[in-house]
Protein backbone atom coordinates (compact mmCIF):
# COMPACT_ATOMS: atom_id res chain seq x y z
CA UNK A 1 0.00 0.00 0.00
CA UNK A 2 1.37 3.40 -0.95
CA UNK A 3 1.53 6.37 1.40
CA UNK A 4 0.32 9.87 0.54
CA UNK A 5 3.49 11.79 1.36
CA UNK A 6 1.83 15.17 0.61
CA UNK A 7 -0.44 14.98 3.66
CA UNK A 8 -0.19 18.11 5.81
CA UNK A 9 0.06 18.03 9.61
CA UNK A 10 -1.54 21.47 10.23
CA UNK A 11 -5.24 21.74 11.03
CA UNK A 12 -7.64 24.22 9.44
CA UNK A 13 -7.91 27.38 11.59
CA UNK A 14 -5.81 25.60 14.23
CA UNK A 15 -8.92 23.70 15.39
CA UNK A 16 -8.31 20.46 17.32
CA UNK A 17 -7.85 17.14 15.61
CA UNK A 18 -11.07 15.14 15.35
CA UNK A 19 -9.56 12.28 17.38
CA UNK A 20 -9.14 14.76 20.27
CA UNK A 21 -12.59 16.32 19.77
CA UNK A 22 -14.92 13.46 18.75
CA UNK A 23 -18.01 15.48 19.77
CA UNK A 24 -17.34 18.12 17.05
CA UNK A 25 -20.35 19.46 15.12
CA UNK A 26 -18.39 20.00 11.90
CA UNK A 27 -15.42 17.91 10.80
CA UNK A 28 -12.95 19.15 8.19
CA UNK A 29 -11.72 16.40 5.88
CA UNK A 30 -9.02 16.80 3.26
CA UNK A 31 -9.33 14.68 0.11
CA UNK A 32 -6.00 14.87 -1.76
CA UNK A 33 -7.33 13.27 -4.94
CA UNK A 34 -6.64 14.52 -8.48
CA UNK A 35 -6.94 11.40 -10.61
CA UNK A 36 -10.09 12.67 -12.39
CA UNK A 37 -8.64 15.95 -13.66
CA UNK A 38 -9.05 16.91 -17.32
CA UNK A 39 -6.79 19.98 -17.38
CA UNK A 40 -3.91 20.94 -15.11
CA UNK A 41 -3.46 18.58 -12.16
CA UNK A 42 -2.15 19.32 -8.68
CA UNK A 43 -5.27 19.56 -6.52
CA UNK A 44 -3.92 16.72 -4.37
CA UNK A 45 -2.00 19.52 -2.66
CA UNK A 46 -5.14 21.61 -2.14
CA UNK A 47 -6.13 20.55 1.39
CA UNK A 48 -2.69 21.33 2.81
CA UNK A 49 -2.57 24.71 1.09
CA UNK A 50 -6.04 25.67 2.36
CA UNK A 51 -5.06 24.74 5.92
CA UNK A 52 -1.81 26.68 5.59
CA UNK A 53 -3.60 29.78 4.28
CA UNK A 54 -6.17 29.55 7.10
CA UNK A 55 -3.42 30.43 9.57
CA UNK A 56 -3.90 34.02 8.34
CA UNK A 57 -7.58 33.94 9.34
CA UNK A 58 -7.26 32.70 12.92
CA UNK A 59 -6.67 36.09 14.57
CA UNK A 60 -9.79 37.74 13.11
CA UNK A 61 -12.29 36.52 15.71
CA UNK A 62 -15.11 37.23 15.49
CA UNK A 63 -14.63 37.42 11.76
CA UNK A 64 -15.72 40.70 10.23
CA UNK A 65 -18.66 41.48 9.87
CA UNK A 66 -20.15 38.74 12.10
CA UNK A 67 -21.02 39.61 15.69
CA UNK A 68 -20.27 36.28 17.39
CA UNK A 69 -17.32 33.99 17.92
CA UNK A 70 -17.53 30.92 15.71
CA UNK A 71 -16.34 28.66 18.53
CA UNK A 72 -19.23 29.83 20.78
CA UNK A 73 -21.73 28.21 18.40
CA UNK A 74 -19.93 25.42 16.56
CA UNK A 75 -17.40 22.83 17.64
CA UNK A 76 -15.08 22.28 14.70
CA UNK A 77 -12.39 19.65 14.33
CA UNK A 78 -10.07 18.51 11.56
CA UNK A 79 -9.85 14.82 10.66
CA UNK A 80 -6.79 15.30 8.46
CA UNK A 81 -6.73 13.83 4.96
CA UNK A 82 -8.36 10.64 3.70
CA UNK A 83 -5.64 8.13 2.90
CA UNK A 84 -5.79 6.01 -0.24
CA UNK A 85 -3.38 4.42 -2.72
CA UNK A 86 -2.41 6.51 -5.75
CA UNK A 87 -3.44 5.37 -9.22
CA UNK A 88 -6.54 3.53 -8.00
CA UNK A 89 -9.57 5.79 -8.29
CA UNK A 90 -12.06 3.13 -7.20
CA UNK A 91 -10.06 2.36 -4.06
CA UNK A 92 -9.88 6.10 -3.37
CA UNK A 93 -13.62 6.40 -3.90
CA UNK A 94 -14.23 3.55 -1.45
CA UNK A 95 -11.94 5.19 1.12
CA UNK A 96 -13.65 8.59 0.76
CA UNK A 97 -17.07 6.99 1.15
CA UNK A 98 -16.09 4.87 4.16
CA UNK A 99 -14.56 7.88 5.91
CA UNK A 100 -17.56 10.10 5.15
CA UNK A 101 -20.04 7.41 6.17
CA UNK A 102 -18.38 6.98 9.57
CA UNK A 103 -18.57 10.75 10.20
CA UNK A 104 -22.20 11.04 9.08
CA UNK A 105 -23.25 7.98 11.10
CA UNK A 106 -21.68 9.65 14.15
CA UNK A 107 -23.92 12.67 13.53
CA UNK A 108 -21.17 15.00 12.28
CA UNK A 109 -21.38 17.53 9.45
CA UNK A 110 -18.58 17.21 6.91
CA UNK A 111 -16.69 20.08 5.28
CA UNK A 112 -14.47 18.55 2.60
CA UNK A 113 -11.42 20.13 0.98
CA UNK A 114 -10.51 18.83 -2.49
CA UNK A 115 -8.95 17.49 -4.44
CA UNK A 116 -10.50 17.75 -7.85
CA UNK A 117 -14.25 18.10 -8.12
CA UNK A 118 -14.82 14.37 -8.66
CA UNK A 119 -14.56 13.98 -4.87
CA UNK A 120 -18.01 15.53 -4.52
CA UNK A 121 -19.59 12.39 -6.04
CA UNK A 122 -18.49 9.98 -3.26
CA UNK A 123 -19.33 12.71 -0.72
CA UNK A 124 -22.82 13.09 -2.22
CA UNK A 125 -23.42 9.34 -2.20
CA UNK A 126 -22.91 9.19 1.55
CA UNK A 127 -24.85 12.38 2.24
CA UNK A 128 -27.78 11.04 0.22
CA UNK A 129 -27.55 7.71 2.05
CA UNK A 130 -27.89 9.60 5.35
CA UNK A 131 -30.22 12.46 4.43
CA UNK A 132 -32.00 11.27 1.29
CA UNK A 133 -31.77 13.12 -2.04
CA UNK A 134 -30.40 16.64 -1.68
CA UNK A 135 -30.80 19.99 -3.37
CA UNK A 136 -27.44 20.91 -4.90
CA UNK A 137 -26.04 24.41 -4.51
CA UNK A 138 -23.10 24.43 -6.88
CA UNK A 139 -20.67 27.32 -7.47
CA UNK A 140 -18.55 26.74 -10.57
CA UNK A 141 -17.49 27.99 -14.00
CA UNK A 142 -18.55 24.60 -15.38
CA UNK A 143 -21.75 22.58 -14.99
CA UNK A 144 -19.89 19.25 -14.61
CA UNK A 145 -22.81 17.42 -16.21
CA UNK A 146 -21.00 15.82 -19.17
CA UNK A 147 -23.18 12.83 -20.08
CA UNK A 148 -20.27 11.29 -21.98
CA UNK A 149 -17.79 11.58 -19.13
CA UNK A 150 -16.24 8.51 -17.56
CA UNK A 151 -17.03 7.15 -14.11
CA UNK A 152 -14.01 9.09 -12.74
CA UNK A 153 -14.29 12.50 -14.35
CA UNK A 154 -14.27 15.90 -12.65
CA UNK A 155 -16.59 17.17 -15.38
CA UNK A 156 -19.30 14.52 -15.14
CA UNK A 157 -20.11 13.98 -11.43
CA UNK A 158 -23.42 15.78 -11.45
CA UNK A 159 -24.64 13.80 -14.46
CA UNK A 160 -23.83 10.64 -12.50
CA UNK A 161 -25.32 12.07 -9.29
CA UNK A 162 -28.66 12.67 -11.04
CA UNK A 163 -28.57 9.20 -12.61
CA UNK A 164 -27.89 7.69 -9.19
CA UNK A 165 -30.84 9.56 -7.66
CA UNK A 166 -28.68 11.50 -5.19
CA UNK A 167 -30.11 14.93 -6.03
CA UNK A 168 -33.36 16.86 -6.28
CA UNK A 169 -32.71 18.43 -9.71
CA UNK A 170 -35.62 20.87 -9.62
CA UNK A 171 -34.46 22.32 -6.31
CA UNK A 172 -30.80 22.49 -7.43
CA UNK A 173 -28.94 25.51 -8.77
CA UNK A 174 -25.56 26.21 -10.36
CA UNK A 175 -24.01 29.63 -9.84
CA UNK A 176 -21.28 31.34 -11.87
CA UNK A 177 -21.43 29.10 -14.96
CA UNK A 178 -19.62 30.51 -18.02
CA UNK A 179 -18.89 27.53 -20.25
CA UNK A 180 -21.23 25.93 -22.74
CA UNK A 181 -23.79 23.27 -21.90
CA UNK A 182 -26.97 21.90 -23.41
CA UNK A 183 -29.79 23.96 -21.91
CA UNK A 184 -32.48 21.77 -23.44
CA UNK A 185 -31.54 18.67 -21.47
CA UNK A 186 -30.05 20.42 -18.47
CA UNK A 187 -31.37 19.11 -15.13
CA UNK A 188 -30.59 22.16 -12.93
CA UNK A 189 -31.42 25.84 -12.71
CA UNK A 190 -28.41 27.92 -13.82
CA UNK A 191 -27.51 31.44 -12.67
CA UNK A 192 -24.68 32.13 -15.08
CA UNK A 193 -21.72 34.38 -14.34
CA UNK A 194 -23.01 37.23 -16.49
CA UNK A 195 -26.35 37.26 -14.62
CA UNK A 196 -24.69 36.96 -11.22
CA UNK A 197 -22.22 39.76 -11.97
CA UNK A 198 -25.08 42.04 -13.03
CA UNK A 199 -27.03 41.52 -9.81
CA UNK A 200 -26.38 42.31 -6.17
CA UNK A 201 -25.30 39.64 -3.72
CA UNK A 202 -28.68 40.00 -1.97
CA UNK A 203 -30.55 39.42 -5.22
CA UNK A 204 -28.47 36.36 -6.02
CA UNK A 205 -28.88 34.89 -2.53
CA UNK A 206 -32.62 35.52 -2.69
CA UNK A 207 -32.94 33.72 -6.03
CA UNK A 208 -30.80 30.81 -4.77
CA UNK A 209 -33.01 30.48 -1.67
CA UNK A 210 -36.16 30.48 -3.82
CA UNK A 211 -34.83 27.56 -5.87
CA UNK A 212 -33.55 25.54 -2.90
CA UNK A 213 -36.75 26.04 -0.92
CA UNK A 214 -36.69 24.26 2.43
CA UNK A 215 -34.98 21.13 1.10
CA UNK A 216 -31.79 19.66 2.62
CA UNK A 217 -28.87 21.13 0.69
CA UNK A 218 -25.39 20.05 -0.31
CA UNK A 219 -23.13 23.06 -0.97
CA UNK A 220 -20.14 22.55 -3.27
CA UNK A 221 -17.77 25.36 -4.22
CA UNK A 222 -15.36 24.88 -7.13
CA UNK A 223 -12.82 27.64 -6.66
CA UNK A 224 -12.88 28.29 -10.44
CA UNK A 225 -16.27 29.93 -9.89
CA UNK A 226 -14.10 32.90 -8.92
CA UNK A 227 -12.44 34.86 -11.69
CA UNK A 228 -8.82 33.77 -12.34
CA UNK A 229 -7.82 37.21 -11.01
CA UNK A 230 -8.95 36.00 -7.58
CA UNK A 231 -8.21 32.29 -7.97
CA UNK A 232 -5.51 31.55 -10.56
CA UNK A 233 -4.39 28.35 -8.83
CA UNK A 234 -6.83 25.90 -10.33
CA UNK A 235 -6.90 23.33 -13.10
CA UNK A 236 -9.38 24.81 -15.57
CA UNK A 237 -9.60 28.59 -15.02
CA UNK A 238 -12.17 30.60 -17.02
CA UNK A 239 -12.15 34.42 -17.32
CA UNK A 240 -15.25 36.38 -16.45
CA UNK A 241 -15.97 34.94 -13.03
CA UNK A 242 -17.12 36.22 -9.66
CA UNK A 243 -15.03 38.34 -7.33
CA UNK A 244 -14.21 36.82 -3.96
CA UNK A 245 -16.20 39.64 -2.32
CA UNK A 246 -19.36 38.84 -4.30
CA UNK A 247 -19.06 35.10 -3.58
CA UNK A 248 -18.51 35.70 0.14
CA UNK A 249 -21.55 37.97 0.33
CA UNK A 250 -23.74 35.49 -1.57
CA UNK A 251 -22.77 32.78 0.95
CA UNK A 252 -23.38 35.17 3.85
CA UNK A 253 -26.90 35.60 2.48
CA UNK A 254 -27.66 31.90 3.00
CA UNK A 255 -28.16 31.96 6.80
CA UNK A 256 -30.94 29.54 7.67
CA UNK A 257 -30.60 27.38 4.53
CA UNK A 258 -30.60 23.72 5.60
CA UNK A 259 -27.02 22.88 4.54
CA UNK A 260 -26.19 19.23 5.37
CA UNK A 261 -22.77 18.99 3.76
CA UNK A 262 -20.15 21.24 2.17
CA UNK A 263 -16.96 21.17 0.19
CA UNK A 264 -14.42 23.50 -1.42
CA UNK A 265 -12.55 21.92 -4.32
CA UNK A 266 -10.11 22.42 -7.22
CA UNK A 267 -7.41 24.43 -5.46
CA UNK A 268 -4.17 23.58 -7.29
CA UNK A 269 -1.33 25.29 -5.39
CA UNK A 270 1.33 24.75 -8.07
CA UNK A 271 -0.54 27.27 -10.27
CA UNK A 272 -1.17 29.70 -7.44
CA UNK A 273 0.55 33.00 -6.72
CA UNK A 274 1.05 34.45 -3.25
CA UNK A 275 -1.56 32.02 -1.80
CA UNK A 276 -4.34 33.97 -3.57
CA UNK A 277 -6.35 30.86 -4.34
CA UNK A 278 -5.80 28.96 -1.13
CA UNK A 279 -6.61 32.08 0.91
CA UNK A 280 -9.82 32.59 -1.09
CA UNK A 281 -10.74 28.94 -0.51
CA UNK A 282 -9.97 29.11 3.21
CA UNK A 283 -12.00 32.31 3.54
CA UNK A 284 -14.97 30.85 1.66
CA UNK A 285 -14.85 27.79 3.91
CA UNK A 286 -14.77 30.01 6.99
CA UNK A 287 -17.71 32.01 5.64
CA UNK A 288 -19.65 28.76 5.15
CA UNK A 289 -18.96 27.88 8.79
CA UNK A 290 -20.11 31.29 10.03
CA UNK A 291 -23.21 31.11 7.86
CA UNK A 292 -24.04 27.72 9.33
CA UNK A 293 -23.29 28.88 12.89
CA UNK A 294 -25.53 31.94 12.45
CA UNK A 295 -28.43 29.63 11.61
CA UNK A 296 -27.95 27.38 14.66
MN1 LIG B 1 -15.06 24.02 -12.51
Amino acid sequence: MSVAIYRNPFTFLEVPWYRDCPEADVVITGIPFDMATSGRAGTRSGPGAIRQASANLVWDQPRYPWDFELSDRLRIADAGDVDFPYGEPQAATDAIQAHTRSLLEAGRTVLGFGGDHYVTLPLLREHARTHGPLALLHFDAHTDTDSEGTAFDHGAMFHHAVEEGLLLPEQSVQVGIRTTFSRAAHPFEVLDAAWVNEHSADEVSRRVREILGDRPVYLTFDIDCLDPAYAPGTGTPVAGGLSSDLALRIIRGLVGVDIRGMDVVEVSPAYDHAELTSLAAATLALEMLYTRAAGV
Side-chain angles (χ1 to χ4, degrees), residues 117 138-144 154 222-225 234 236 266:
H117 212 159
H138 173 202
F139 292 84
D140 206 320
H142 317 84
T143 63
D144 297 338
H154 78 151
D222 182 329
I223 202 66
D224 72 25
C225 179
T234 192
T236 48
E266 294 284 353

Side-chain angles (χ1 to χ4, degrees), residues 200-213:
S200 72
D202 284 348
E203 288 168 323
V204 177
S205 298
R206 200 175 315 131
R207 182 69 192 118
V208 165
R209 299 175 74 113
E210 277 172 12
I211 296 163
L212 299 174

